[in-house]
Amino acid sequence: MTSGTSDAHLLAAASRDPRAFHELYERHATAVHAFAVRRVRDQDAALEVTAETFARAWYGRRKFRDKRGGTALPWLYGIAANVIRESARRHQMSTKA
């Protein structure tokens, strides 16, 4: 893979070439982590959000639709926001119980 390859192409290639997904991770992990830190305000929780975001991205890579000129970052932010929301919901439920 080359650094000039779009995220959309990396996701399409990831099933055949795991290095493609690794490159996507290297491109965006820092931004996704920073996004998570700003929302959860905890480094360890943000690392968990980041890991879960990329795990879901891997499993959902065939669902990616290129709507931003090849970048997957908005899609990854959406996944991260969902992970955070679901985690908060689980926490509220366990607190009420």
Side-chain angles (χ1 to χ4, degrees):
M1 293 289 117
T2 63
S3 61
T5 304
S6 74
D7 294 347
H9 284 103
L10 291 174
L11 284 163
S15 294
R16 302 179 310 281
D17 184 359
R19 292 173 300 175
F21 195 81
H22 176 76
E23 185 170 333
L24 180 83
Y25 176 85
E26 289 293 321
R27 279 185 191 179
H28 299 303
T30 300
V32 170
H33 181 258
F35 174 88
V37 167
R38 287 191 303 273
R39 277 147 186 82
V40 300
R41 300 181 191 277
D42 178 274
Q43 288 290 331
D44 291 335
L47 287 172
E48 290 179 26
V49 168
T50 303
E52 181 65 19
T53 296
F54 281 94
R56 290 184 186 193
W58 169 258
Y59 287 111
R61 67 192 179 281
R62 291 181 188 94
K63 296 177 188 175
F64 175 74
R65 299 296 171 254
D66 183 7
K67 297 179 181 179
R68 301 282 185 190
T71 183
L73 193 53
W75 179 66
L76 293 167
Y77 285 154
I79 295 170
N82 288 337
V83 169
I84 293 165
R85 191 171 22 261
E86 291 167 14
S87 177
R89 200 174 303 134
R90 278 192 308 274
H91 178 71
Q92 283 178 341
M93 289 173 50
S94 69
T95 302
K96 287 180 182 178

